[in-house]
Amino acid sequence: MSPKTIKFLQYASIAWIWIFVLSVDVWIISLLIVARRLHDAINASVGIGIIAIPLFLLIATALTYVFFGLQKHREVDETRGGNP
Amino acid sequence: MNGNEIAAKDDALFRSIEYTGKNFYYAVGIFVTVIAFAAFLYLGQIISGLGVTGMAQPVSWGFYIVNFVFFIGISHAGTLISAILRLSKAEWRRPITRMAEVITAIVLAIGGLHPILDLGQPGRIWHLATSGRLQSPLLWDVTSITAYFAASTVYLFLPLIPDIAILRDRGTKPRWLYQFLSWGWQGTPKQHKVLNRTINILMIGVIPIAVSVHTVISYIFAMTVQPGWHSTIFGPYFVVGAIFSGIAALLIVMIVFRKVYHLENYLKEIHFSYLSILLLIMSLLWFYFTFCEYLTTHYGNEPDEMRVFFYKFSGDFAPYFWAMILCNFIIPVAILSNKKTRKIKGILFASFTVLIGMWLERLIIVVPSLANPRLGYPTGIYIPSITEWALFAGGIAVFMLGFLLFAKFFPLISVWEIQEGRASSIKEVAHRLRSYLPDELEEDEIKKALH
Amino acid sequence: MELTRRDFLKLLGVTSAATAAGALGASTIYSVPDHIFNRLVTGPRIETWKASVCTMCPGGCGVKVRLIDSIPVRVVGNPLYPVNKGAVCPMAEAGVEELFHPERIKTPLKRAGNRGENKWEKISWEEALKVLASRLETLTAKKAGGQFVLVTRDDHTTELDFVKSFMELIGSRNLIVENQLEFGVLPVFLSQGLWDAPAFDLANADYILNFGANVLDDGPSPIHYNQLYAHHRSRSPGHRPRIVHVDSFMSRTAAKSSEWVPINPGTMAAFALGLAHVIIRDGTYNKQFIEKHAFGFSRWKDEDGTWHDGFKSVALGKYYPEKVEEMTGVSAQKVVQLARDFAASKTAIAMSGGQAAKSTNGVYTQWAVYCLNALKGNLEQPGGVLFPKMMVAQEREGNDLAGLAGGAKESWFDNPLHARALSDLVSALKSKSPFEVDTLVFHRSNPVFDSPYKKELSTLLSRAPFIVSTSSFFNDTTVYADLILPEPVWMEKWDLSRRVPGLEFLHLGVQQPMMEPLYDTRQFGDVLIQVAESAGLEATVPRVNAYKDYIAGYARDIYLSGEGAIISKSAEVSWIEFLKKRGWQPYEYSTFEEFWKLLLDKGGWWDPFYPDPDPRRIFKTVSGKFEFFSQTLATAGEAIEKNLTGAGDERFLPHFDEPRFDLPDKRFPYNFMVYQIISNQMGRGAHLRLLQEMGGLISREYWRSWIEVNPTTAAFLDIAEGDAVKVTSAHGYVIAKAKLIPAMKPDLILMPFGMGQVFSNGKSGKPGANPLEIFAADMDHISKIPSWISTKVRLDKVDSNDVS
Amino acid sequence: MPRWGMVIDLNTCTGCGECAAACKIENNVAIVGPEESDMGRTMLWMDMLTEYEGEYPNVKVRYIPRPCLHCDEPPCTRVCPVRATYLNDEGIVAQIFPQCIGCRYCMAACPYTVKSFNWYRPEWPDTMESALNPDVSARPAGIVEKCTFCIHRLQIAKEEAAVENRDLREGDYIPACAESCPTKAISFGDLDDPDTEVSRLRRTARAFRLLEELGTEPKVYYLYEVE
């Protein structure tokens, strides 16, 4: 597989993680709306939302940070580390 | 430095990846068969309904929920222990953390799917997405398990990156996989810094998540008003039990794979000794919680609570209850508190009894409260069916297979962390020790002493 | 926890997959013919209601059936109907299920294999009737109509009248009506010479002494009595009558009474006489009534100048409270207290049933209880014993509307002492005495299941010449039949429900078909008409072509009499009275056709007026009085007299005869009794899934029999709730789960009746166990009512695998 | 808005079981076979609690019909993850059958054990489904069901009232159990309207509720038996 494809896949996986995390957050937010509509115990729902939403964002951020951090701090010579 | 050179010393750690024996295929074959059988019976359950289980009224929850709690409990082995060990900078953690993290990721996936097995209408699971209600403890579970799963997978993956890079550099096949997963790791100091920083953040973050997971699982029960469930200590009680069973599972896995992959050099008696002392502590702690739980019930003497209490102590569930006490407390304490028996075999035995005991504990929490409803209904009966047993076996098989496959593709012991240990831990420990001690000691002296 | 082998297998999951779709569980519930199905699918879904009468039990409840596109979907009570005032019991609820029951017999069947093999061959009605008619023809030709024997039950419909006419026509007196002497008929006959069940005015009584009549669960009309009891209990304590229930176990009736008095089985006569003793000793009996209307209270001298004992001397003789305590197990103090309460109440009633009737001393027991009413002098008094009028049509001599009767002046069927009983059939089959059997017809009757002679009968029936059953379902008796002429179920039948015993008013309910019969079934009445025709009995000019015409004729008589009224919304007696006085009716009808239409529409007719008290009407004895000393009995003849117990005059007076128990043996220390459950009375609901489930509503043993044991006894025998136990008598054993019930005498073992019967052609199992399997076949020799309390048993814990 | 409630007079209830039978027929509740019953899978929306008090010979038997108690603070609705059960505006704890995912959490949470589960598909052959009570849908396998206070009857009563252009009157809407009770032991009506029979009865000294101490505020009241 060409390095380009791999690069693409890596970016895609990062994107996928964000999609996952964002959809979880959207889901939680939508549940908050549902809870409001149904007059459910709103404090429980908000409590969970407050913790869970940033948490998922944090996870995605951490991954993204690592990914871009690794990309950024590579030594210039691609061949030395990679393919012998 | 070349990857090959780096890893040359630790070739044993790559053996399982680069060499595939017959036994591997046998094992995979067996596990796949078990899983296929379970899947077949599950298909039957989907087609004809939950009637194929042994559940009924009033015992409307059975093995699936028991195993759900049990598996999720085991998943605490990993990330939590590894995070705590990392955080406390315990040097002996280096060969252990990876396995612990793998257990977590796999078992969590299995455990997390158990409630779906339990659903009467699994096809309607999307109702959770469209109209789930956050006020239901089940949703708390869904949220926290998802978070824990995401976090622990990341937490498994990040420390894996340097090892993947080593595999990439060794040219292990499939190359594209390692190229893809190594994220361009080259082991530069700056990359190390980025990685370590993130691991440290996650390490701190994952502990509360892990604690929350088992706490909210206990809330499924504790939030109801049912006798035997409605208890404030359920949260910590479940967490302690989870860590307890998690350590036991970790120990078993370590002992088994040490044997299978000849890792005696890396996993030494001392690792087992340390972990088993942790197990011993958890055993005592578990007993303390159990004692608290039942003493308050007994002293309170509330009739409905007492019905459940006596059902466990002297009724139909007494054999299971006392077996649990035996397995979770008496045997582990007897074995592990004695230096003579605190050997690999003894530890393995104790770990097995703890796993059985903890499974019994989950059974004893779920079933008796349901079997003894209020208002004088007759006591319920619950006899699990073949489907439930098969799915239980299937769950275990999925775990084994998952672990085996992981070992097929990735090193079970963090190679770079071992190397890092070799390179810098003595110095670091010496430095740390010096800072503990009242006298100003020379670093060299300590180093000498350490050797 | 004890694991049995079965539990262990289950634990391994071996059996669970197999039991998941077990034989009975997964069977079809409804079987619907195509044309009905098509109507259901394509119909416009129009809702209509039709009135009818439920005959699942003899209670005679008026019902309304909800029809969608003329297909029944639900049965509810007819709110206008006076018997049940808008309510029904679970048995009626199961009507739709019975109608569409997949195991119904759909055509006439002829036996194909050997008897008992349950192999059948379909035949046409023409063939079937021909077989029966030719037998009948042969019999009548040789003047041996008596060899045509019919066994049936009285469901209190006019069909029984019709059947009687038929039997008279063919010259057979061998009509066995299994339940005809129940409901306290005999004491009334002995003391008053009247064959009629007494109606107790419970609604107006202040004090009710109930000797074993489980009226809330068992006949004559459970819903009516549930409502009566509830009506009393709805009043605040102090303003409600006191109901004292005497029985060996706490039936639902006892539970809903003010007090339950546990008594040794079979000793109620002693108890009743003990009460009489106290009342007579205290002098608190109704002296006016005794003087004016009673015979044989004190010693009396007959025409020959011989002195005879009276009730007084019998009661005072040996039934003093301490002695009664010894005999009955009820404390002397209680005897005195109850007697004084009874005497002191303004209106008081003593009624009996259940074990009081079904014991070896049943006649004297019921009679002793009944005599308490005479001491109270409450006959024809409000809150006392009433004797409602006869139906107009019943009164008409010969009842020639039936035509078939041919105007026989004297009926064979008017003396209860000479009524045929099942025991006669047993001895007839055994020894051709008192009659010979050629053709045996079982109609509404299933004695191989529900009589204590079941074992004897099953051997005897396999040898009987020719057996016909009219059952709509396979049952224990059809197994021995040669011919099955299936009847439609009650929702497809024409009938008239009339005068349920024990009710203080006259009533008539029309049972009309909700739909055309689903299958090739015919009503028994029609079968009889057709058989008579093809047997060449038309010489007697049958005036009816169908049973429906017969009941229309019956109704016409009512119409012509001008009495009573079609039931209406404002069914208050006073309102109808008000209208009547002015010559009006709640409804307008000027022709019979209009009356008939209205009758079908509303579902019933009633006549709530009680005639003015008239001793001549209710005392048909030689003395014209209430006879404590029964001259009817004294002159009944040798055959009856030889069965009487007691010595000398005591024989003709109510007295306590020690109950006979089967094998008074140390090996069988416990008394064994059974009781009925409202949702499966006489086991007549066992084929219906709803009722199988409802049978366990209180015990939580659905689809099962169970064995009730007092916790004290259970502790002694080391039996815990839910253990499998085996009840063994000298005649066999049954196994079921034990239930520990404190509400019963400790030396008693109790079982519900109605389970363990066949109701399909061998395809599905029979849930539960039949306690009659282990019954001692004893009876009261006077009434020939089988004793249900004579069995002695032992109890053992067994392996749970054998529970049925 | 009415708040529907029920009062069951234990004095007049004779334990005949007609309420339970009527309920099963009215609501098309499945009848499981003997094997299933043995496993404890009998489905009774209206059950009967039987209690024996005391020892021979001083025994008292109590028959307590038990529908869903329709709590004002229902523990079951709170835990439902998908709102398949909820407290509606008129106080009825309703079940939305197509919404239920069959997790049975509500069964575990109900302190009165009123819920039943369809372990298998109820055995109504297709052919007869239309001859069941057409007002109540048959349930598939794998969902929880329970007494709904015959809510379909409320719909019908409301429609009828709307056609006649009037408000609901007392007695327009009565569940099958109350309607069929032979002894009229079950009263049903609006608890918020002080003039209804149920309001009057529940204010009497005899009124009590099951497990009142749990704070579930059931809307089914019982009247103590008095001798």
Side-chain angles (χ1 to χ4, degrees), chain D residues 50-216:
Chain D
T50 311
E51 289 173 4
Y52 294 89
E53 273 171 30
E55 279 172 23
Y56 175 84
N58 301 310
V59 193
K60 179 71 208 155
V61 190
R62 288 186 206 295
Y63 305 111
I64 306 175
R66 191 239 60 207
C68 169
L69 296 135
H70 293 275
C71 310
D72 269 345
E73 295 290 337
C76 59
T77 61
R78 220 175 291 166
V79 300
C80 177
V82 292
R83 199 176 187 257
T85 179
Y86 70 106
L87 184 68
N88 79 5
D89 297 337
E90 307 192 16
I92 295 173
V93 178
Q95 297 274 135
I96 309 173
F97 300 131
Q99 178 72 7
C100 179
I101 58 171
C103 70
R104 304 189 300 294
Y105 197 178
C106 54
M107 292 176 79
C110 175
Y112 304 95
T113 326
V114 306
K115 304 223 173 186
S116 323
F117 186 72
N118 289 279
W119 298 98
Y120 286 111
R121 182 172 181 276
E123 291 155 351
W124 310 116
D126 293 334
T127 51
M128 263 328 271
E129 256 166 24
S130 36
L132 300 174
N133 183 1
D135 305 330
V136 182
S137 59
R139 274 79 58 188
I143 64 161
V144 175
E145 58 182 57
K146 67 157 187 80
C147 157
T148 60
F149 267 172
C150 288
I151 198 167
H152 56 280
R153 290 184 169 216
L154 176 60
Q155 304 300 339
I156 295 169
K158 275 182 179 167
E159 280 163 25
E160 275 171 9
V163 167
E164 289 166 29
N165 203 9
R166 58 170 172 85
D167 290 335
L168 272 187
R169 288 184 301 240
E170 193 182 1
D172 277 354
Y173 161 43
I174 293 178
C177 52
E179 181 192 64
S180 65
C181 175
T183 64
K184 303 278 167 253
I186 307 178
S187 331
F188 186 83
D190 181 4
L191 290 172
D192 277 354
D193 179 350
D195 301 327
T196 54
E197 175 80 358
V198 280
S199 293
R200 192 182 60 72
L201 286 173
R202 70 139 169 171
R203 285 194 301 265
T204 59
R206 284 166 60 211
F208 76 101
R209 293 180 288 180
L210 290 178
L211 302 178
E212 219 156 345
E213 68 276 14
L214 295 180
T216 50

Side-chain angles (χ1 to χ4, degrees), chain B residues 48-62 64 118-122 124-125 127-128 131-133 135-139 219-221 223-226 229 304 370 373-375 377 381, chain D residues 38-43 47 49 51 66 75 77-83 85 97-105 107-113 115-117 119-121 140-143 210-211 214:
Chain B
S48 54
L50 276 170
V52 300
T53 67
M55 293 183 278
Q57 286 124 225
V59 188
S60 49
W61 278 347
Y64 299 146
D118 191 54
L119 290 188
Q121 287 280 351
R124 293 184 184 170
I125 187 80
H127 287 187
L128 280 181
S131 51
R133 304 170 81 204
Q135 69 168 8
S136 166
L138 271 185
L139 259 288
Y219 285 172
I220 291 186
F221 307 103
M223 291 297 136
T224 68
V225 289
Q226 304 298 43
W229 283 358
D304 290 319
L370 289 170
R374 288 186 160 95
L375 293 175
Y377 289 93
I381 33 165
Chain D
D38 272 2
M39 291 184 78
R41 291 173 178 176
T42 308
M43 301 173 84
D47 202 345
L49 304 172
E51 289 173 4
R66 191 239 60 207
T77 61
R78 220 175 291 166
V79 300
C80 177
V82 292
R83 199 176 187 257
T85 179
F97 300 131
Q99 178 72 7
C100 179
I101 58 171
C103 70
R104 304 189 300 294
Y105 197 178
M107 292 176 79
C110 175
Y112 304 95
T113 326
K115 304 223 173 186
S116 323
F117 186 72
W119 298 98
Y120 286 111
R121 182 172 181 276
I143 64 161
L210 290 178
L211 302 178
L214 295 180

Side-chain angles (χ1 to χ4, degrees), chain C residues 25 93 226 252 689 693 704, chain D residues 14 18 24 31 38 123:
Chain C
E93 293 275 359
N226 272 283
R252 214 155 54 74
R689 297 166 56 95
E693 206 165 77
R704 287 281 175 265
Chain D
T14 58
E18 165 59 10
K24 290 212 82 149
I31 299 165
D38 272 2
E123 291 155 351

Side-chain angles (χ1 to χ4, degrees), chain C residues 376-440:
Chain C
K376 194 72 196 169
N378 67 6
L379 275 67
E380 296 217 289
Q381 299 297 315
V385 188
L386 304 177
F387 298 92
K389 295 179 287 192
M390 286 288 167
M391 295 302 273
V392 182
Q394 269 178 312
E395 278 175 347
R396 284 178 59 166
E397 217 170 320
N399 195 8
D400 62 0
L401 261 175
L404 290 171
K409 279 287 172 227
E410 211 169 305
S411 175
W412 285 309
F413 307 119
D414 64 357
N415 186 338
L417 288 173
H418 294 113
R420 292 287 190 223
L422 260 186
S423 59
D424 294 327
L425 176 67
V426 174
S427 74
L429 287 170
K430 227 190 261 177
S431 56
K432 302 196 172 179
S433 143
F435 50 85
E436 265 188 71
V437 181
D438 175 78
T439 305
L440 183 54

Side-chain angles (χ1 to χ4, degrees), chain C residues 248-550:
Chain C
S248 306
F249 67 99
M250 195 188 221
S251 56
R252 214 155 54 74
T253 315
K256 284 289 155 185
S257 301
S258 319
E259 186 182 354
W260 167 51
V261 178
I263 190 168
N264 293 338
T267 62
M268 283 181 182
F271 186 66
L273 289 164
L275 297 178
H277 174 100
V278 177
I279 292 168
I280 294 170
R281 200 179 60 190
D282 289 356
T284 48
Y285 56 90
N286 187 335
K287 296 195 180 87
Q288 199 192 349
F289 176 85
I290 297 290
E291 259 163 47
K292 225 170 137 188
H293 296 299
F295 170 82
F297 179 70
S298 314
R299 285 171 61 80
W300 59 284
K301 198 160 77 174
D302 67 11
E303 284 161 3
D304 306 339
T306 324
W307 279 94
H308 292 281
D309 275 341
F311 182 70
K312 194 171 160 184
S313 48
V314 171
L316 287 181
K318 49 182 176 185
Y319 300 104
Y320 49 93
E322 289 73 19
K323 178 80 180 168
V324 169
E325 173 171 348
E326 213 173 275
M327 294 189 275
T328 62
V330 185
S331 72
Q333 198 189 345
K334 182 104 273 175
V335 175
V336 174
Q337 181 214 325
L338 292 182
R340 292 196 172 143
D341 287 351
F342 183 82
S345 300
K346 213 169 124 215
T347 50
I349 286 175
M351 59 193 278
S352 67
Q355 65 151 301
K358 294 176 170 180
S359 56
T360 57
N361 54 10
V363 171
Y364 287 115
T365 304
Q366 292 182 80
W367 195 13
V369 174
Y370 187 63
C371 283
L372 292 174
N373 292 306
L375 289 183
K376 194 72 196 169
N378 67 6
L379 275 67
E380 296 217 289
Q381 299 297 315
V385 188
L386 304 177
F387 298 92
K389 295 179 287 192
M390 286 288 167
M391 295 302 273
V392 182
Q394 269 178 312
E395 278 175 347
R396 284 178 59 166
E397 217 170 320
N399 195 8
D400 62 0
L401 261 175
L404 290 171
K409 279 287 172 227
E410 211 169 305
S411 175
W412 285 309
F413 307 119
D414 64 357
N415 186 338
L417 288 173
H418 294 113
R420 292 287 190 223
L422 260 186
S423 59
D424 294 327
L425 176 67
V426 174
S427 74
L429 287 170
K430 227 190 261 177
S431 56
K432 302 196 172 179
S433 143
F435 50 85
E436 265 188 71
V437 181
D438 175 78
T439 305
L440 183 54
V441 181
F442 291 101
H443 172 60
R444 300 184 191 234
S445 159
N446 183 10
V448 181
F449 166 70
D450 63 15
S451 83
Y453 311 113
K454 58 174 293 145
K455 278 202 173 152
E456 269 178 294
L457 272 177
S458 52
T459 26
L460 291 170
L461 287 183
S462 52
R463 300 202 300 260
F466 193 73
I467 299 171
V468 181
S469 169
T470 65
S471 176
S472 314
F473 292 87
F474 289 100
N475 62 30
D476 294 73
T477 309
T478 59
V479 169
Y480 301 99
D482 299 288
L483 198 60
I484 302 178
L485 306 175
E487 270 219 301
V489 296
W490 69 264
M491 277 220 207
E492 304 164 319
K493 274 205 248 187
W494 280 106
D495 216 336
L496 273 184
S497 164
R498 50 108 178 97
R499 212 170 172 270
V500 169
L503 305 191
E504 65 278 17
F505 49 83
L506 276 190
H507 62 92
L508 196 71
V510 195
Q511 186 174 65
Q512 56 178 322
M514 293 301 122
M515 60 195 306
E516 68 279 18
L518 279 179
Y519 305 112
D520 194 10
T521 54
R522 287 187 195 177
Q523 256 187 275
F524 191 53
D526 291 333
V527 169
L528 290 185
I529 293 168
Q530 287 152 13
V531 166
E533 251 169 37
S534 50
L537 296 171
E538 50 288 58
T540 48
V541 199
R543 300 243 191 99
V544 286
N545 300 318
Y547 180 65
K548 187 193 163 189
D549 298 343
Y550 172 79

